[in-house]
Amino acid sequence: MRYNSLGIPREKTGKGGTDVTHRFPALIAAPAPEEGRLWLTGARLFDGTGAALRENTAILVEDGVIRRVADDRERCPDGARPVDLGRRVLMPGLTDAHTHASGRVPHTAKGAEEALPGVAAHFLQAELRDYLRFGVTTIRVCGSQGLMPQQARQAMRYGAFRGPRLLTCGKIVSATAPGGRFYGDMYREADGPDDIRRAVREQIRAGADFIKMMTTGARSNELEDPEPLQLTEPELAAITDEAHRLGYRVAAHAEGLDGCAAAIRHGVDTIEHGMYLHRRPELLDAMAAAGQVLVPTLSGYYWMAGLSEDVIDPAQAEAEPDMPPVLTELAQRNIEEGAASMRAARQAGVKIALGSDTSLAVGLEIQRMVQHGLTPAEALVAATRTAAEALGLDEHIGTVTEGKLADLTIVDGDPLAEPHLLSDPDRIWLVLQLGTPVAGQLLANPALAGQLTWPDRPDGPKPADMAGWIQAGRDHA
């Protein structure tokens, strides 16, 4: 196997060109891994494959990589520091495969000082920190504002703060359409195959990890019809050819069935939304055969329908919408349509990845996926292994497997029996990012951690020493 200068394998090839996973900006920007050896013992392991919990498990982490998955009756390896997890569940770090992290600034009251330029960046930083508190170690930003994701990622790279691994599409490639008026600096509008190719290249130049395109309009503004195909066949071919030729994956915003069919036919890697696919079983069969991934984004429909963050069963809740009736009524219908397509996709053997389409909502999306037909194990696989596959990072993250990066989440309780615990940061006991403790109650709670401080910055305040928080874990167990 060939490796690049970062020690990351090169061997995988993408559609139509060399795969560039080894030089994803998201991987290049990773913080330094924790040096040394760590022996995590007394774990109940959910490995991300959907297998039953494995009791009495130990994990050896060395220099930020999972080196061994073993029985915890084995002796602690030489030179490793033991950490007793006290029979807590250890699982892969969670992934949100569809979010729009952009640092939303609250509306100020009339007469109050307006937000200054640059304030949104601070809200984005706070949001990214909070992802770790919920056990989320990787996110895929499917549209944001300008260069905000790249700027935040660079700040994390150079030690300003800790947050999740961040993949971004840059700007969404769209035909000239009403959406370009509604979503700030989120779109790169392009018309004609040549302009489309230029738009793809511009996103790669700006640090994109993948390309996202609008094959249909969006159901979140009143001027767009999400039914018809928005791009022409030559334009679709130009996007997928240019991205795949250069080794980049393509995500397609696809709502109406004409857009879904065209995106599937042109070989996109992920279908975002796809809420009406259950009406065309042959499209789901084609996706399964091609290995294309569906990202259902149920929470996005809940949000547009005016349902609050504590709502799991929409039939038992009263909506408080803040969108025009035509949009909220469509969103209410799309909850059921999207759920039906998710279930039909599972039946057809289509891979399903978790994407919330909202902020800090992985645990919430898991609960809603379960509410609408997936088992807890299937929803957790969607948030771990399959989400990593959707991002093209399955060689590095997504399962607790020897040789993968030590992005791990350890929780109080069993998420297979209590999926809601993943929405409660008080039950996220410890989060490791490349083997480094970065979040969790063990670090945040002085009663557990003693003099430990939150590792807010990679090069800033850290726990006094690893032995200290290891001992705290033993005492608590």
Side-chain angles (χ1 to χ4, degrees):
M1 186 178 295
R2 296 171 58 221
Y3 293 80
N4 75 334
S5 60
L6 299 174
I8 299 170
R10 294 179 180 269
E11 78 285 359
K12 189 177 176 183
T13 58
K15 298 176 183 177
T18 301
D19 182 83
V20 296
T21 301
H22 65 278
R23 56 181 173 86
F24 271 179
L27 290 177
I28 293 171
E34 182 74 21
E35 295 183 359
R37 310 179 88 194
L38 195 59
W39 181 245
L40 303 171
T41 187
R44 305 176 69 208
L45 175 65
F46 178 80
D47 65 6
T49 68
L53 288 180
R54 175 175 165 180
E55 303 286 347
N56 306 313
T57 304
I59 309 294
L60 176 64
V61 174
E62 182 175 10
D63 298 334
V65 174
I66 300 167
R67 293 300 181 195
R68 284 186 60 206
V69 179
D71 190 300
D72 68 359
R73 290 172 293 186
E74 293 187 19
R75 183 176 63 85
C76 179
D78 292 342
R81 295 183 176 183
V83 182
D84 186 356
L85 303 187
R87 299 195 71 248
R88 293 180 175 87
V89 171
L90 180 150
M91 58 191 296
L94 300 170
T95 292
D96 192 334
H98 188 122
T99 187
H100 291 280
S102 58
R104 182 175 300 171
V105 180
H107 291 295
T108 57
K110 290 183 178 180
E113 179 187 17
E114 292 186 358
L116 296 170
V119 168
H122 296 278
F123 280 89
L124 176 55
Q125 181 182 132
E127 180 181 346
L128 294 173
R129 285 172 167 161
D130 279 346
Y131 273 106
L132 295 180
R133 294 180 57 237
F134 286 94
V136 178
T137 53
T138 301
I139 63 173
R140 183 175 69 151
V141 179
C142 291
S144 184
Q145 295 299 308
L147 292 172
M148 286 188 70
Q150 293 96 313
Q151 291 165 348
R153 182 168 64 195
Q154 192 173 83
M156 290 188 285
R157 176 181 187 178
Y158 294 122
F161 67 99
R162 279 276 190 177
R165 180 177 295 102
L166 188 160
L167 283 74
T168 178
C169 66
K171 294 184 180 182
I172 301 170
V173 178
S174 168
T176 298
R181 294 171 52 196
F182 280 81
Y183 307 117
D185 196 17
M186 186 180 289
Y187 283 12
R188 165 51 163 99
E189 293 178 310
D191 300 296
D194 289 342
D195 197 20
I196 288 282
R197 287 185 187 273
R198 178 183 290 276
V200 170
R201 294 171 184 176
E202 286 173 356
Q203 306 325 302
I204 294 170
R205 179 179 184 271
D209 301 275
F210 67 103
I211 299 300
K212 182 184 175 187
M213 65 175 174
M214 299 292 293
T215 59
T216 70
R219 76 280 184 208
S220 54
N221 78 75
E222 62 186 357
L223 295 185
E224 286 195 331
D225 182 352
E227 288 296 330
L229 181 62
Q230 197 172 71
L231 293 163
T232 66
E233 291 287 338
E235 289 171 335
L236 282 165
I239 292 178
T240 53
D241 175 72
E242 191 66 21
H244 286 154
R245 182 177 62 81
L246 296 173
Y248 289 81
R249 299 172 71 82
V250 179
H253 172 107
E255 299 192 27
L257 286 168
D258 287 346
C260 290
I264 293 165
R265 184 170 63 251
H266 283 277
V268 303
D269 300 281
T270 64
I271 296 290
E272 314 296 314
H273 316 304
M275 65 282 276
Y276 308 123
L277 282 167
H278 68 97
R279 302 181 187 179
R280 294 275 301 273
E282 75 279 9
L283 295 182
L284 292 171
D285 291 340
M287 287 182 68
Q292 293 163 315
V293 180
L294 174 65
V295 187
T297 67
L298 299 180
S299 291
Y301 312 139
Y302 275 70
W303 169 71
M304 283 177 280
L307 298 173
S308 65
E309 292 182 358
D310 61 352
V311 174
I312 306 302
D313 182 357
Q316 303 299 319
E318 186 171 339
E320 297 181 1
D322 60 1
M323 284 185 159
V326 65
L327 297 181
T328 58
E329 291 167 9
L330 178 60
Q332 290 163 359
R333 179 165 65 89
N334 282 342
I335 293 174
E336 297 307 319
E337 295 274 4
S341 288
M342 180 183 69
R343 294 189 294 269
R346 177 188 60 182
Q347 187 68 25
V350 176
K351 296 179 180 180
I352 298 171
L354 182 145
S356 70
D357 205 10
T358 56
S359 176
L360 300 170
V362 170
L364 188 59
E365 182 74 6
I366 287 171
Q367 294 174 74
R368 288 166 171 171
M369 294 173 92
V370 172
Q371 169 68 28
H372 291 286
L374 296 193
T375 67
E378 288 170 335
L380 288 174
V381 170
T384 52
R385 182 184 67 186
T386 314
E389 292 173 354
L391 274 56
L393 291 179
D394 48 301
E395 292 181 359
H396 307 288
I397 61 172
T399 60
V400 182
T401 303
E402 294 174 2
K404 292 193 177 182
L405 302 177
D407 286 4
L408 304 170
T409 294
I410 300 156
V411 301
D412 278 314
D414 179 358
L416 294 172
E418 304 177 90
H420 61 272
L421 73 82
L422 295 171
S423 290
D424 184 358
D426 289 340
R427 299 185 70 177
I428 307 298
W429 190 70
L430 184 64
V431 180
L432 300 179
Q433 185 183 54
L434 293 170
T436 300
V438 293
Q441 289 303 303
L442 182 58
L443 302 183
N445 189 338
L448 299 180
Q451 298 301 310
L452 301 182
T453 56
W454 194 284
D456 188 56
R457 299 178 357 188
D459 298 318
K462 289 185 177 180
D465 64 322
M466 187 177 284
W469 62 266
I470 290 171
Q471 185 60 49
R474 288 197 190 113
D475 294 344
H476 181 63

